[in-house]
Each structure stands twice: as C-alpha cells, then as structure tokens.
Amino acid sequence: MDYIQPFNRILLVGCNECVTVCSAGGRKEVGLLSSALQSAFLSAGKSIDIKEHTLERQCDPEYVEELVGMMDGVDAVVSMACGCGVQEVARRYKNKPVFPAVNTKFMGASERQGVWAERCQGCGNCLLGITGGICPIARCSKQLMNGPCGGSTNGKCEISKEVDCAWQLIWDRLKMLGQEERYLDIIPAKDWRTAGGGGPRKIVREDLAG
Amino acid sequence: MKTNSILEKVLANGNLAVTSECGPPRGAVPEKVKEKGQLLAGFVDAVNVTDNQTAMVRMSSLGASILLRQMGLNPLLQMVTRDRNRLAMQSEILSAYAHGIDTMLCLSGDHPHFGDHPMAASVHDIDSIQLIQMVKTMRDEGRFQGGAEIENPPKMFIGAAANPFADPFELRVMRLAKKVAAGVDFIQTQCIYNIEKFETWMEGVRNRGLHEKCYILAGVTPMKSAGMARYMKNKVPGMDVPDAVVARMAAKPKEEQAQEGVDICIETIQRLSQVKGVAGFHIMAIEWEKIVPQIVERAGLLPRPQVA
C-alpha cells in the first residue's frame, strides 16, 4: 500500500502461469487483491481506481504487449506475476512505475494442497543424477555436497523439525536403488559460474533465435 | 612427515595426543585469549581455536591463533565454510602459515539459525570435504584450488570432525571414509558419552581400515552440572547423552556435580584408551579451560612428550 499511496489509477496485472498454479497471482487473486485494496484505501479516506487484467504469460513480450491500450489511463502498474513478469512489464512500459505485489521466493513443488516447498535453485549444473534425484543444493540447509552434517536427527534437519534432512532422503533413495557405494564418490568443489557466479545468465537457442 | 606440526609428530611417535580448545572472546580482548592459553600451556599438544562457533561473532580464529602462537603454543586453526568463499579461505590459510600456524580443522560450521545473526547469508561455496581437498592440494601440489602455483605452499596438518552419533548412523563410517579419501590426516570426534555407540562406530572404522589412514582423537567434554547434561541431551543437535549419564550426574548434590562430571570424563578417557584406533583425546571444556590440567593429569596423560 505504501508503494501505491501516491497514485489514483492503478492497473493490477496477473499472470496465468506459475503464480496461478500457486494461488499467488492469477485471475482469482487479482480480483481479491483489487477489492482488498479498494476497501483498505476507502477506510483510509481515499478512493482509488483499479483496473484488473490477467495475462496469459507475463514473462513473454508478445503477451505483455496486450497492455498497451490500458497504459494511458493509469498512473502506475502493480504486477502479481513473479519477478520475471514484473521486470518484463517494466522493460516494455518505461514511463510507468511498476510495483511487485508478490515476493517471489523459490522454484518448488507442491507437497500437498496449499503447501509448496523448494526443490531447485537453478544452479545450472545438475547433480540430481548422482544424488538419487534429491537436490542437496536446494534442500540441504548448508548446501553440503558430500553428505549429512552432524546435526541430522531422525531424518530431520538441525534447524527445524519441519525440514527434512536432504542427505537422509538421498541416502534412503540410494539404498532403494541399491547404489549405496555411490555415496563414497566425492563431489568436487562446484563451479558456480553456471549458478550466477559468472554474472547474469542467458540461454540462447540458435535454432529458435534465428 | 608431511608437515612441521607438533601434533603430527606426537601422533607419528605413537603417543596418545591431547588437544583442547579455546573459544575466542566476543570482543577485542586479547587478554582473554592469553589467559586461556596460559591455562593450557604444557598440558596439551595443540589448542583448537574455534571459528565463530554456534554462529556467534567472536574474535577470528586466525587472530586468536596468532596470539596463542606468539605465546609459544600450538594453535589449531578451525575454519568453517559458512562464512567465507574459497578465495577468503585460501588467503587466510596463507596468513596462518605465515604466522607459523601449521595445523587446522576443516568444518562446515553451525547454521546461522543457532547464532545471534540468523539474518545472515551463509556462504557454503565449498563444503568441509571439498575444503580438505583444497588444503591438501595447496600442501601437496603447491597449487591454489584455481590451479595457479603457490610461492612457499602452506604445509598444513589437516584435520576434520566426525560425529559418530548423528543420523543416519549407518552412513557415519562412510562419511569418515570420504574425509579420508579427500586427504584428512586426523579427526576430532563429537563429545562421547555413549561409549557403546562410539565403540560400534570404531568397529566400522577399523573394518574399513580407516584408523590406519588417519589419526582419530576421541572428543570428550566434562559436564559441570546435571542441568548441562540434560541440556546437551535434549537441545544440542547430534549429541547423544544416555539417560544413565544424566542420572549419575543428577544423583549427586549440586555442589558435587562438577566433580562427578570430571570423574566421568576421566573414566571415559581411560576406557577409550583401550579402544584400538583411538590415537588421542580432544578435551572440549567449554568455558572451563582451567579444569583441563586436572583431567589430563588424572587421566595419566602427563607429561606431554617433547617432540620439537
């Protein structure tokens, strides 16, 4: 609310992809946030005009182009997409302030209804083939690549009973696969260039990029 | 001999080695380091200097190690991978060696969750096993991890920790095997209260012949009170304090509990001296350094050998 306090006409933009699946920024959440903001501003003695729109994909220029006709009538944009969507809107509409409405946290999977947990850090040099399909980079609190620390207790991480010990999971899985000896292979120090250590990352598919 | 480390010489001569530790102060107070060093001088072969232990900011391990070195002690530089990337770690190893510090311990470190800066980012550029590999490459190949040659490579006697009591237990011997394969020279274990479980672990260690490839120093910590025993049993991750030990402490009146803790510690040392593959003891008297001389003496570990 602090972000948009100075503005009267807002365009609230959702995205139909990941944030919809995660119930964070799809059409439904756009509607909910819009009415919540209007009533909050109303009770603070201010009326605010909020236009709602949800794009098929907010990280793709061709969909973001759809917003062109709506831009003249608004003072600022609030995006409910992930950080990629927010930045794509900001890149296309350089003269409009754009604010994020969600805090993008991680790439994860749904553990059960309403619960999502981190699975991948996008480090660009995948270890899953040798760690039983469980990622120690994303799922070990110390990012240990060669086994559990001394704090693993009853399958749980020392930082919380709510967090599984990734190395317990890896070990259980290696046993199920009959690959216990694989644990003895030392995973060497990682080259973090593919994980962002080499600067912002880009993928170019020559066949598609032309 | 791989290094000039006194600890290496003591172990290579077949003596039971004795190490202890000094936690640096939470302030720029060199006197406190020197005071602790003074208490341990002559009673131990090397003094571990912890590195922001329990993720609380303290004087650096290197800074406090230099102070101890200047007193003529043999500091054992602890280094955690939590706070520094590989550039910072390698430069610190060079600094340590330039100050005559030739023994170190490679650790991943306690998670910031437990300390007073839970909002800090952990580094973990490399893990403890990769740190062992890096220090060994620096020593044996005279190269940095990035491949470039080192002028006057640091010859470090390389240690690491092992926790025989953490889960999954069946993996614990293999984890040590990995540290040995990475190039570790000696191991200091987690505090031992559950002697049977430690002996089971040692059997696994001997079955893989690991006790012949590295020196294993058994970790012991004297308990000051029954309260401390309960705390360690229930609150410290990876610690195994059997009920019988807690009960034995609690059976004594409060003013006798510290002495009981010392007795248990000495009995543990004497029993573990008989375990094949135990090469020495690491006495972690947390903020109780002054008790170490009594433990070393009563355990029959004096005088310390002169090997220089």
Side-chain angles (χ1 to χ4, degrees):
Chain A
M1 282 187 60
D2 287 347
Y3 275 152
I4 55 173
Q5 182 68 40
F7 305 104
N8 296 315
R9 298 170 304 163
I10 300 292
L11 173 61
L12 184 59
V13 192
C15 175
N16 227 350
E17 295 282 351
C18 322
V19 285
T20 296
V21 180
C22 300
S23 310
R27 185 165 285 114
K28 185 174 161 208
E29 291 74 30
V30 166
L32 289 170
L33 181 63
S34 173
S35 28
L37 283 173
Q38 303 206 34
S39 57
F41 275 111
L42 255 181
S43 59
K46 174 180 175 168
S47 88
I48 187 165
D49 173 33
I50 302 183
K51 258 193 224 136
E52 301 169 22
H53 191 77
T54 298
L55 296 173
E56 198 51 38
R57 244 200 317 282
Q58 219 180 109
C59 58
D60 223 329
E62 58 184 274
Y63 293 106
V64 171
E65 199 59 35
E66 261 177 47
L67 300 174
V68 94
M70 297 169 226
M71 282 296 163
D72 281 344
V74 300
D75 308 320
V77 181
V78 174
S79 163
M80 294 193 78
C82 70
C84 308
V86 179
Q87 293 187 57
E88 189 49 33
V89 173
R91 185 199 62 78
R92 172 62 185 81
Y93 305 102
K94 293 193 166 50
N95 60 350
K96 292 287 172 206
V98 179
F99 302 106
V102 299
N103 291 316
T104 310
K105 285 203 169 122
F106 53 77
M107 282 184 268
S110 177
E111 288 191 338
R112 58 190 156 87
Q113 181 75 27
V115 179
W116 295 270
E118 183 164 21
R119 292 288 182 267
C120 178
Q121 285 191 0
C123 69
N125 192 359
C126 198
L127 294 173
L128 288 170
I130 48 175
T131 56
I134 291 135
C135 180
I137 305 291
R139 298 179 70 180
C140 168
S141 301
K142 296 181 186 171
Q143 220 164 268
L144 300 182
M145 283 165 256
N146 284 291
C149 75
S152 177
T153 308
N154 298 321
K156 297 297 175 186
C157 172
E158 65 178 19
I159 69 158
S160 163
K161 287 190 169 61
E162 302 298 309
V163 178
D164 290 325
C165 169
W167 275 99
Q168 177 79 56
L169 297 176
I170 292 170
W171 176 243
D172 291 345
R173 180 108 165 98
L174 289 179
K175 275 199 296 188
M176 266 183 264
L177 296 170
Q179 296 178 351
E180 289 95 328
E181 290 300 309
R182 175 157 262 175
Y183 171 75
L184 289 170
D185 298 339
I186 294 179
I187 296 179
K190 194 172 170 67
D191 181 340
W192 292 104
R193 280 174 291 191
T194 56
R201 295 168 284 173
K202 186 181 264 191
I203 295 169
V204 181
R205 277 272 304 267
E206 299 291 353
D207 55 332
L208 299 173
Chain B
M1 222 51 83
K2 296 172 188 169
T3 71
N4 285 320
S5 165
I6 297 288
L7 182 62
E8 181 179 14
K9 288 175 188 162
V10 169
L11 287 162
N13 286 349
N15 300 109
L16 280 172
V18 180
T19 56
S20 188
E21 76 176 24
C22 158
R26 304 227 330 131
V29 212
E31 301 76 25
K32 286 204 175 171
V33 178
K34 292 177 188 167
E35 204 178 290
K36 288 182 175 184
Q38 214 69 62
L39 291 168
L40 298 170
F43 293 94
V44 298
D45 305 312
V47 178
N48 284 51
V49 185
T50 52
D51 183 8
N52 287 340
Q53 82 264 29
T54 62
M56 311 263 275
V57 181
R58 291 169 182 274
M59 184 187 291
S60 76
S61 177
L62 175 62
S65 292
I66 291 171
L67 290 169
L68 293 178
R69 188 73 202 111
Q70 287 166 347
M71 295 170 65
L73 282 143
N74 302 310
L76 197 162
L77 181 82
Q78 294 197 184
M79 185 173 282
V80 301
T81 62
R82 178 195 61 219
D83 303 339
R84 305 168 191 80
N85 71 3
R86 63 191 86 180
L87 277 84
M89 285 192 273
Q90 291 178 101
S91 74
E92 204 159 292
I93 292 165
L94 295 181
S95 305
Y97 195 65
H99 282 94
I101 296 158
D102 51 22
T103 311
M104 65 178 287
L105 198 70
C106 304
L107 305 164
S108 53
D110 296 313
H111 195 277
H113 173 78
F114 298 102
D116 61 354
H117 289 71
M119 70 299 276
S122 298
V123 180
H124 296 306
D125 175 14
I126 58 176
D127 67 21
S128 55
I129 287 181
Q130 294 159 350
L131 175 56
I132 295 168
Q133 285 183 318
M134 186 169 82
V135 183
K136 185 177 159 65
T137 303
M138 291 173 82
R139 179 186 72 196
D140 295 348
E141 296 172 32
R143 294 192 180 279
F144 291 115
Q145 210 248 5
E149 211 169 298
I150 305 172
E151 185 183 344
N152 190 28
K155 304 281 184 196
M156 285 285 176
F157 191 47
I158 308 167
N163 185 353
F165 309 107
D167 292 326
F169 180 66
E170 53 191 341
L171 196 60
R172 290 294 151 183
V173 171
M174 286 169 90
R175 177 128 170 97
L176 177 62
K178 267 181 111 155
K179 292 190 175 181
V180 168
V184 83
D185 300 309
F186 73 95
I187 289 289
Q188 292 173 322
T189 76
Q190 174 68 287
C191 324
I192 300 161
Y193 298 104
N194 186 340
I195 296 178
E196 286 77 25
K197 195 162 184 182
F198 176 75
E199 286 177 338
T200 308
W201 179 76
M202 276 305 295
E203 200 182 324
V205 168
R206 288 192 302 269
N207 287 343
R208 282 190 184 254
L210 300 174
H211 64 303
E212 285 160 355
K213 294 180 183 150
C214 71
Y215 300 104
I216 295 168
L217 309 190
V220 290
T221 291
M223 290 184 290
K224 268 184 171 169
S225 64
M228 177 178 172
R230 274 187 218 104
Y231 178 81
M232 287 174 92
K233 177 183 176 63
N234 299 322
K235 295 277 184 237
V236 182
M239 189 74 76
D240 184 344
V241 185
D243 290 329
V245 174
V246 179
R248 185 172 156 187
M249 290 292 288
K252 291 280 171 186
K254 235 183 171 71
E255 62 281 7
E256 289 173 30
Q257 286 178 355
Q259 197 51 52
E260 189 70 0
V262 170
D263 290 349
I264 292 173
C265 182
I266 291 163
E267 289 165 29
T268 305
I269 292 176
Q270 286 167 341
R271 176 154 167 199
L272 295 180
S273 301
Q274 309 304 313
V275 175
K276 192 176 172 214
V278 170
F281 296 94
H282 179 43
I283 304 167
M284 292 165 274
I286 303 153
E287 294 303 321
W288 200 15
E289 290 81 4
K290 71 174 197 300
I291 200 67
V292 172
Q294 189 197 131
I295 294 173
V296 178
E297 185 177 5
R298 286 182 52 207
L301 296 166
L302 285 183
R304 299 310 311 145
Q306 298 299 310
V307 292

